[in-house]
Amino acid sequence: HLAAKTGMNMDEAIKAYQAFLRIAPKDHRKVPEVYYEMAICYIEGYTREVAMSWVNKLYVEGQQAEKLQ
């Protein structure tokens, strides 16, 4: 994912993904993937307690975005 590929820390990667989501059309083919990639950033960069609430939310967002494809 983005952080691993570019040497970014997880916060920077999440901010980059959020910036993409702000400007991308809702039906852009990469939108679902971005939600799942952000979830991975939380898993890899945060405590389990912090990550789990975000992972659940982002997974649902990714599923919803898939429906717009």
Side-chain angles (χ1 to χ4, degrees):
H1 60 75
L2 184 64
K5 291 178 188 171
T6 63
M8 289 181 169
N9 71 35
M10 295 304 161
D11 288 332
E12 291 171 335
I14 290 167
K15 286 178 186 175
Y17 288 133
Q18 289 170 336
F20 170 80
L21 290 173
R22 279 193 298 276
I23 63 171
K26 297 294 182 203
D27 63 348
H28 189 285
R29 67 182 184 84
K30 291 286 189 176
V31 169
E33 180 181 335
V34 166
Y35 283 112
Y36 302 137
E37 290 288 340
M38 279 197 299
I40 292 169
C41 288
Y42 277 102
I43 290 168
E44 293 180 357
Y46 293 86
T47 64
R48 182 178 179 161
E49 294 77 25
V50 171
M52 288 315 295
S53 64
W54 280 105
V55 168
N56 290 333
K57 178 187 180 307
L58 293 166
Y59 181 74
V60 170
E61 293 286 339
Q63 286 183 319
Q64 294 300 318
E66 286 183 32
K67 293 177 184 176
L68 300 174
Q69 299 301 300

